[in-house]
Amino acid sequence: DNAICRGSLQLSADGFSTCVPMSSTPSVSNGGQTFTVKPSASLSGETAYSIRISTDVKDHYGNSLTLKETGFTTEDTTPPILSEKTAIAVIGSDTTPSFTFTSNEVGTITYSGSCSSSETSAEIGDNLITFNTLSEGTYNCSVSVKDSDGNKGFLNLSSFTIDTSAPTVHSTSPLNNDSVVSVSSSITIFFSEEMDPSTVTTNTANTSCSGSIQVSSDSFTSCVRMASKSAYASNQAFTVRPHSNLDGDTIYKIGVTAAVKDRAGNFLDQDGFTSGNQVYQMGNGFTTADTLAPVLTQTVPVKSLTNDRTPSYIFSSSEAGTISYTGSCSSSKTSASAGSNTVTFNSLSEGIYINCAITVTDASGNRGFLYVSPFIVDTTDPTVSSYSPADSQTDISLGTHVEVTF
């Protein structure tokens, strides 16, 4: 019932410093020639044991047995212990990925879970394994090592995904051919899959076309300086905000270079049918809203003093638009063209005109103003109020001057 070495039949694994406790006294068979003892617990696997029979054993005649020792080794029942040392990347584009595991025993390797390898022997310590070619997909694989005694150790590998498909730009905001886009708009790129955010960059320092997301109004000779970049939708969409408002009434194009990569390391390829990694570039571009008012310039003013009740006025406009009038002047002309425009005012009464103005409103609702120079309309015929010499006056001096007062 304990590990003390006593009794004439002893079993030990440490040179009889301690002995294996037995479950009961020996059983006797074969006419008193065979004695059997049973350990109180299973012996340790892969262990050398010694059996010692002491001189206390005697036959029926009282003869003592000469001290006898013998030994045996138990079978190995412990499976190899395996551990994952270097895992395969959670997501990658390598179709023959490698990993490292450790084993505390040599043995034969087998694989499961759609994975296989030409490496079939495990060593004690590190074992570098390269899988045979895998298709795209997610894998949950395992390895086992069977030692020489048939004991199997198992290791479930960390799940991993093989992705060899190049990402593309799925859509943008603004869209291609969008018009009247706010000059304060941000730019958003939607990719076909989750991207590596470290490869999605933009230039926040100047207007050179650097960074993987670019916006330009001159075919990418120069680019819009950006203020910030943000990601959302699990790194599938990225928004960049211009450093200042975009120019009004201007066509911009969005470009994404082939430097951007997905999580697996695949570079952007917008056209899979063309050799090489193809960049994304917006076709026609988007057009910002017109925020500039028409510029109006007086060309030929109304004469400052005129007897024409329907005087003409000529001005130029930088844009076409709709004409409206304020003050005491009006006209039937309501459309302005880009360039010179002649307006004939509706009939005016006699008087001084100092509050007339013209407004041209363009298609985007921007208004340009022009004040008409003051003028006077006078249509009354003049009359003579007096003469000198007076009518019918006689005896006028020969040196007299003639005066007429109106």
Side-chain angles (χ1 to χ4, degrees):
D1 57 355
N2 54 46
I4 298 174
C5 290
R6 63 187 180 187
S8 57
L9 180 57
Q10 300 171 3
L11 180 64
S12 176
D14 59 5
F16 298 97
S17 294
T18 61
C19 286
V20 176
M22 299 300 169
S23 62
S24 63
T25 59
S27 61
V28 183
S29 61
N30 194 25
Q33 285 186 274
T34 302
F35 292 79
T36 303
V37 292
K38 181 177 177 60
S40 59
S42 295
L43 301 180
S44 298
E46 201 174 9
T47 303
Y49 284 91
S50 296
I51 300 172
R52 184 169 65 182
I53 304 172
S54 74
T55 56
D56 293 337
V57 177
K58 297 179 181 180
D59 62 15
H60 286 298
Y61 303 99
N63 299 306
S64 296
L65 180 74
T66 302
L67 182 64
K68 181 72 173 178
E69 287 191 17
T70 187
F72 62 89
T73 301
T74 55
E75 64 181 349
D76 176 12
T77 59
T78 303
I81 298 174
L82 312 180
S83 63
E84 189 174 39
K85 184 174 182 179
T86 304
I88 296 172
V90 174
I91 184 169
S93 58
D94 186 357
T95 57
T96 56
S98 297
F99 70 99
T100 302
F101 76 94
T102 62
S103 174
N104 67 339
E105 293 187 63
V106 298
T108 301
I109 306 173
T110 56
Y111 303 88
S112 60
S114 303
C115 299
S116 63
S117 174
S118 59
E119 183 60 60
T120 58
S121 296
E123 303 294 334
I124 295 174
D126 291 350
N127 292 269
L128 176 63
I129 304 298
T130 298
F131 281 138
N132 295 330
T133 301
L134 299 172
S135 303
E136 281 196 315
T138 299
Y139 292 85
N140 294 286
C141 297
S142 62
V143 296
S144 64
V145 173
K146 182 171 69 173
D147 64 19
S148 58
D149 292 298
N151 303 300
K152 277 190 175 182
F154 294 90
L155 175 63
N156 291 320
L157 301 180
S158 300
S159 178
F160 62 93
T161 299
I162 304 295
D163 174 13
T164 59
S165 298
T168 62
V169 173
H170 180 67
S171 64
T172 64
S173 176
L175 292 168
N176 189 41
N177 294 319
D178 272 358
S179 59
V180 197
V181 175
S182 172
V183 295
S184 61
S185 292
S186 294
I187 310 299
T188 299
I189 312 296
F190 300 92
F191 291 96
S192 59
E193 58 181 297
E194 186 176 347
M195 304 298 288
D196 176 356
S198 68
T199 67
V200 182
T201 60
T202 190
N203 187 1
T204 59
N206 51 49
T207 57
S208 66
C209 291
S210 61
S212 54
I213 294 181
Q214 302 171 4
V215 179
S216 177
S217 61
D218 59 7
S219 298
F220 298 94
T221 300
S222 64
C223 286
V224 175
R225 179 186 177 186
M226 297 298 171
S228 63
K229 177 199 80 175
S230 56
Y232 61 99
S234 298
N235 291 325
Q236 197 167 341
F238 294 82
T239 295
V240 292
R241 182 172 60 84
H243 185 267
S244 56
N245 283 350
L246 302 176
D247 293 332
D249 198 20
T250 302
I251 297 174
Y252 287 92
K253 291 184 178 181
I254 299 170
V256 181
T257 73
V260 295
K261 295 188 292 186
D262 61 18
R263 286 183 62 210
N266 301 300
F267 289 96
L268 179 81
D269 190 1
Q270 195 62 26
D271 182 3
F273 297 101
T274 303
S275 177
N277 290 81
Q278 303 300 308
V279 302
Y280 168 82
Q281 192 171 111
M282 183 176 275
N284 297 323
F286 64 89
T287 304
T288 52
D290 177 10
T291 58
L292 299 177
V295 178
L296 309 183
T297 305
Q298 180 174 271
T299 304
V300 180
V302 177
K303 292 180 179 180
S304 60
L305 182 62
T306 181
N307 65 351
D308 186 354
R309 289 180 177 271
T310 56
S312 294
Y313 179 76
I314 301 176
F315 72 95
S316 67
S317 174
S318 61
E319 295 185 65
T322 302
I323 305 175
S324 58
Y325 304 88
T326 56
S328 302
C329 301
S330 62
S331 175
S332 60
K333 183 176 178 62
T334 58
S335 296
S337 59
S340 181
N341 295 270
T342 299
V343 171
T344 299
F345 288 128
N346 294 332
S347 183
L348 300 171
S349 302
E350 283 193 316
I352 300 173
Y353 291 84
I354 60 174
N355 64 349
C356 294
I358 292 174
T359 300
V360 173
T361 304
D362 66 17
S364 298
N366 304 300
R367 292 183 175 184
F369 298 91
L370 177 63
Y371 289 99
V372 177
S373 297
F375 62 91
I376 297 173
V377 176
D378 179 5
T379 59
T380 302
D381 295 333
T383 59
V384 176
S385 61
S386 64
Y387 301 91
S388 177
D391 186 28
S392 302
Q393 186 176 352
T394 59
D395 299 324
I396 303 301
S397 169
L398 297 178
T400 296
H401 297 284
V402 178
E403 293 182 1
V404 179
T405 302
F406 294 94

